[in-house]
Amino acid sequence: MQRRGLLSFLGTMKFQFEGGPTCSKATLLSENKEIFEASVYSVTISDMHVPDVVRNGSEAGAVLDCMYHLDTKELSKNSGLVVKWFFNRSPNPVYQWIHNQKPQDAGILKGRLKLDYKASNNHSSMYRALKIIRPTIELSGEYKCLVSTYHDEDFMIKTMTVYGTFIQFCNNKYYK
């Protein structure tokens, strides 16, 4: 979707913009003469897939995925692209992928992720997702995905619940 527009302010000053959903060109006009032009860079998270519920110890694990769009200028090797995941509003990430480097796990997810899991073959989004190996109940909570570049950032938050099996003990017998 292309966007174009003209916004007038301060009498003779006008602001003209054009571009697609993730990139715009902004031009400041005075008496219809260009006095300033700048590109507006952006990163936008389009969707975040986090399972609502996962069974404790599930062999299949859990995949948490953060889909995002970058404008073409942000796709360069020097864009500063970083994907971070946070757990339960902690200021410290539990996962970080810096573009062109290996992903890193930390905190409660240290040693619990399949770090070579690729969500796509696209070099700018391949390690955007988490693959949790055998999730356990202490991993229930809020997950925040933050995608940033040198120019912009976006985030999204979703909740996952890891549930256990109810076991009742009665008359020296276990019941599920």
Side-chain angles (χ1 to χ4, degrees), residues 13-124:
M13 304 285 285
K14 295 179 183 175
F15 178 74
Q16 176 180 332
F17 66 93
E18 59 184 282
T22 61
C23 180
S24 296
K25 182 176 93 176
T27 308
L28 183 61
L29 305 170
S30 177
E31 297 177 7
N32 291 327
K33 293 182 183 174
E34 181 179 313
I35 60 173
F36 178 76
E37 178 180 301
S39 291
V40 180
Y41 300 89
S42 71
V43 56
T44 306
I45 296 177
S46 57
D47 202 2
M48 185 173 165
H49 290 199
V50 173
D52 292 328
V53 292
V54 177
R55 187 177 181 137
N56 184 40
S58 169
E59 292 285 331
V63 174
L64 289 67
D65 197 357
C66 185
M67 280 91 33
Y68 53 88
H69 299 286
L70 301 171
D71 74 57
T72 54
K73 291 182 182 176
E74 295 288 19
L75 292 174
S76 74
K77 291 181 180 179
N78 299 323
S79 68
L81 174 63
V82 179
V83 176
K84 292 181 182 180
W85 285 82
F86 298 86
F87 179 67
N88 282 343
R89 300 180 189 233
S90 171
N92 303 316
V94 293
Y95 176 86
Q96 176 175 276
W97 173 54
I98 299 171
H99 187 245
N100 290 328
Q101 294 186 23
K102 292 181 180 181
Q104 300 173 334
D105 54 0
I108 196 165
L109 293 181
K110 183 78 173 169
R112 305 187 74 176
L113 297 177
K114 184 171 171 49
L115 290 174
D116 60 351
Y117 176 79
K118 292 183 181 179
S120 81
N121 289 321
N122 183 318
H123 76 281
S124 64

